[in-house]
């Protein structure tokens, strides 16, 4: 396994480019490979392990894919393979996205039940319920989900769980409904930018989706979807991660290729904490003219503060003057990074879904372990600000969602070396 050796005391200065959005390209690639009747070309695709894992799942279903210089060519499946096997699905929960499209296109699907991960059990009851609303017959046997339907039938449904809207279930059901008979209305739909990007892609394929960006999506079923060309939106979470990295190292960083509308709550909270953000049409300049203040953060579905930025803002608040409280309301077990930050000298106390962070004057480098991709990212950011050297292990978590993270950060002043165990 690989590790990142992060030298502390570095100050980031310069321009850092943002890659395409992981959580947009994953469902879009599924739609292109299963729902389309012709080749699709996706631009601004990040070269991530999750993207390559999904390519393997789609090729297992009979699609052909090629990723070259951030462009992903996808030739749809051309035979009736409808099984997504455990050995691939267990690597990446997003493989569940093939369930709805396979039933819509082939009338049947057999998909391994995705495992949980470090941030919680990750149920898929809303995915299953949504498909049943569309008329599919769904059973779970021996770790696999079996779904089938002659033809899906549009209907009205409410697709919100106890933690609010579901990004994955909204994507899955929206994709399936594009080829259903009649109209589907999804109430309580997720509104994340990557859900809207998927909807725009589906419409470019010939789907008929209204209400994009709102919590009520109306999908008028069509008979066929054709291939199309699409540029994937930039990754708001990667951008937010680098904004925090600039702030935590008290640097002067221009995060290029992002617009404020993609991460309004992150922007708001960074400013509240004392970070100066100077937005323009192509990105944002991040400086810290004064000390970081303690603030309170509550994660929520878009447009609330994204749970995928919770670890990163926690890392920054470890060095704030004062106390902060973070409430994690989306995932049930997403504070594992707190223990790792405490190993670096942070003062974080956990109480259920709340984390209380008492700011400290400095962090000290230490050997730490990534537990999920965002936790890994915050440990790198904290390591850059710490005194001394930090060694981050299980870097494969980070590579799932960040393209060449050490390359991008070293280009603006970091000192990070990747080594193999
Ligand atoms: C997506 O996961 C993202 N992954 C996650 O990002 C992100 O944390 C999450 O959305 C929330 O924004 C991808 O897009 C590939 P959900 P997803 O369904 O779709 C509960 C990252 O860091 N729920 O919106 O799995 C669920 O347990 C990853 O890039 C049900 O109860 O998340 C959670 O508490 C980590 N039943 C909440 O809803 C269901 O059927 C939100 O989950 C589905 C979800």
């Amino acid at each position: 396994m690989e590790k990142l050796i992060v030298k502390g005391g570095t100050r980031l200065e310069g321009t850092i480019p943002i890659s395409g959005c992981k959580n947009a390209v994953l469902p879009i690639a599924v739609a292109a490979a299963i729902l389309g009747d012709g080749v699709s070309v996706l631009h601004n695709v990040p070269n991530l392990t999750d993207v390559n894992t999904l390519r393997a799942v789609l090729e297992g279903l009979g699609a052909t894919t090629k990723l070259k210089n951030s462009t992903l060519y996808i030739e749809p499946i051309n035979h009736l393979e409808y099984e997504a096997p455990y050995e691939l699905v267990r690597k990446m929960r997003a493989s569940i996205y093939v369930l709805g499209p396979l039933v819509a296109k082939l009338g049947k699907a057999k998909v391994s039940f995705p495992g949980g991960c470090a941030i919680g059990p990750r149920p898929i009851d809303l995915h299953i319920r949504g498909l049943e609303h569309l008329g599919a017959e769904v059973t779970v046997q021996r770790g696999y989900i079996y779904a089938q339907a002659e033809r899906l039938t549009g209907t009205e449904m409410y697709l919100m769980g106890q933690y609010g809207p579901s990004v994955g279930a909204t994507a899955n059901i929206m994709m399936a409904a594009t080829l259903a008979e009649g109209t589907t209305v999804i109430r309580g739909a997720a509104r994340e930018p990557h859900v809207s990007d998927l909807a725009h892609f589906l419409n470019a394929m010939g789907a008929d989706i209204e209400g994009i960006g709102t919590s009520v999506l109306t999908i008028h079923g069509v008979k066929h979807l054709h291939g199309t060309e699409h540029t994937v939106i930039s990754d708001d979470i990667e951008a937010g991660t680098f904004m925090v990295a600039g702030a935590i190292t008290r640097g002067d960083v221009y995060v290029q290729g992002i617009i404020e509308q993609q991460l309004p709550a992150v922007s708001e909270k960074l400013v509240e904490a004392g970070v100066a953000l100077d937005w323009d049409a192509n990105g944002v300049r991040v400086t810290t003219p004064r000390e970081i203040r303690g603030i309170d953060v509550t994660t929520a579905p878009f447009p609330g503060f994204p749970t995928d930025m919770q670890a990163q803002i926690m890392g920054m608040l470890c060095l704030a003057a004062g106390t902060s409280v973070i409430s994690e309301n989306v995932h049930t077990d997403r504070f594992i990074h707190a223990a790792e930050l405490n190993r670096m000298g942070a003062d974080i106390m956990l109480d259920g879904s709340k984390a209380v962070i008492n700011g400290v004057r400095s962090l000290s480098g230490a050997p730490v372990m990534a537990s999920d991709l965002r936790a890994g990212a915050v440990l790198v950011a904290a390591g850059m600000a710490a005194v001394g050297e930090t060694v981050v292990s299980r870097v494969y978590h980070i590579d799932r969602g960040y393209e060449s993270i050490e390359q991008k950060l070293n280009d603006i002043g970091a000192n990070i070396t990747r080594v193999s165990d």
Side-chain angles (χ1 to χ4, degrees):
M1 285 203 267
E2 295 181 316
K3 296 180 176 180
L4 291 179
I5 300 175
V6 185
K7 289 273 185 290
T10 50
R11 180 176 181 274
L12 298 182
E13 192 162 359
T15 296
I16 190 163
I18 298 306
S19 302
C21 178
K22 166 179 87 81
N23 293 346
V25 74
L26 295 177
I28 286 172
V30 168
I34 297 177
L35 297 174
D37 286 338
V39 172
S40 284
V41 180
L42 307 181
H43 300 291
N44 197 31
V45 172
N47 186 10
L48 304 170
T49 44
D50 270 11
V51 170
N52 293 317
T53 300
L54 183 73
R55 289 176 59 205
V57 171
L58 297 176
E59 285 164 7
L61 293 170
T64 307
T65 76
K66 188 177 78 173
L67 178 58
K68 190 165 182 290
N69 303 332
S70 304
T71 294
L72 179 60
Y73 301 86
I74 298 180
E75 195 170 327
I77 58 178
N78 52 20
H79 54 69
L80 288 181
E81 181 51 65
Y82 58 89
E83 177 176 345
Y86 172 70
E87 60 272 12
L88 284 171
V89 175
R90 73 179 175 79
K91 284 186 187 172
M92 182 184 62
R93 170 187 169 78
S95 311
I96 194 68
Y97 281 148
V98 305
L99 182 65
L102 283 173
V103 178
K105 185 77 174 179
L106 303 180
K108 56 184 172 182
K110 177 185 174 187
V111 181
S112 164
F113 212 93
C117 59
I119 61 177
R122 312 297 293 278
I124 55 163
D125 55 307
L126 296 174
H127 298 244
I128 293 173
R129 194 191 310 162
L131 277 179
E132 287 174 335
H133 280 312
L134 292 175
E137 190 189 321
V138 185
T139 55
V140 178
Q141 289 167 6
R142 294 187 302 284
Y144 275 82
I145 304 155
Y146 296 81
Q148 63 180 26
E150 275 304 302
R151 178 147 197 229
L152 296 174
T153 309
T155 183
E156 294 220 9
M157 67 179 81
Y158 177 73
L159 203 61
M160 202 184 262
Q162 57 179 325
Y163 298 94
S166 161
V167 167
T170 302
N172 223 330
I173 302 311
M174 176 168 66
M175 287 191 279
T178 57
L179 294 179
E181 184 80 41
T183 295
T184 299
V185 178
I186 303 176
R187 300 187 187 288
R191 301 169 51 196
E192 275 67 6
H194 35 285
V195 174
S196 297
D197 199 34
L198 169 63
H200 289 305
F201 175 74
L202 290 167
N203 278 354
M205 294 178 83
D208 183 357
I209 302 171
E210 297 167 332
I212 298 175
T214 76
S215 59
V216 181
L217 292 172
T218 301
I219 303 108
H220 303 286
V222 296
K223 289 251 183 300
H224 298 286
L225 295 178
H226 50 75
T228 188
E229 192 154 1
H230 180 79
T231 298
V232 175
I233 56 168
S234 56
D235 195 313
D236 53 321
I237 303 302
E238 185 194 25
T241 304
F242 293 146
M243 289 163 74
V244 164
I248 202 172
T249 61
R250 307 193 69 75
D252 183 346
V253 174
Y254 183 70
V255 179
Q256 182 183 49
I258 190 72
I259 55 173
E260 186 172 14
Q261 289 73 8
Q262 283 181 265
L263 63 175
V266 172
S267 182
E268 173 77 23
K269 281 296 172 180
L270 288 177
V271 169
E272 185 186 334
V275 179
L277 299 182
D278 183 9
W279 286 96
D280 63 31
N282 300 310
V284 59
R285 183 181 175 196
V286 183
T287 52
T288 44
R290 62 184 73 82
E291 65 181 355
I292 302 290
R293 291 189 290 268
I295 57 170
D296 294 344
V297 178
T298 298
T299 67
F302 193 87
F305 191 93
T307 172
D308 295 347
M309 277 296 301
Q310 181 256 102
Q312 298 90 314
I313 197 101
M314 182 185 282
M316 187 185 84
L317 295 173
C318 289
L319 290 169
T323 298
S324 306
V325 178
I326 295 180
S327 304
E328 172 54 65
N329 291 346
V330 176
H331 290 295
T332 55
D333 188 6
R334 198 172 200 173
F335 284 141
I336 297 178
H337 43 276
E340 297 305 298
L341 289 166
N342 281 342
R343 288 174 49 75
M344 299 176 71
D347 177 2
I348 306 167
M349 195 173 49
L350 300 181
D351 178 12
S353 63
K354 292 195 185 315
V356 179
I357 303 108
N358 295 311
V360 295
R361 296 203 60 75
S362 69
L363 295 173
S364 55
V368 289
M369 193 184 295
S371 52
D372 73 78
L373 66 164
R374 311 306 174 184
V378 72
L379 295 173
V380 171
M384 290 188 288
V387 176
E389 181 179 280
T390 296
V391 181
V392 182
S393 60
R394 299 193 178 180
V395 173
Y396 60 86
H397 284 297
I398 302 176
D399 294 336
R400 288 189 53 188
Y402 291 89
E403 191 177 33
S404 322
I405 190 166
E406 74 267 28
Q407 181 65 53
K408 288 189 176 183
L409 291 169
N410 286 340
D411 284 352
I412 59 169
N415 183 340
I416 304 170
T417 312
R418 183 182 289 251
V419 297
S420 296
D421 257 350

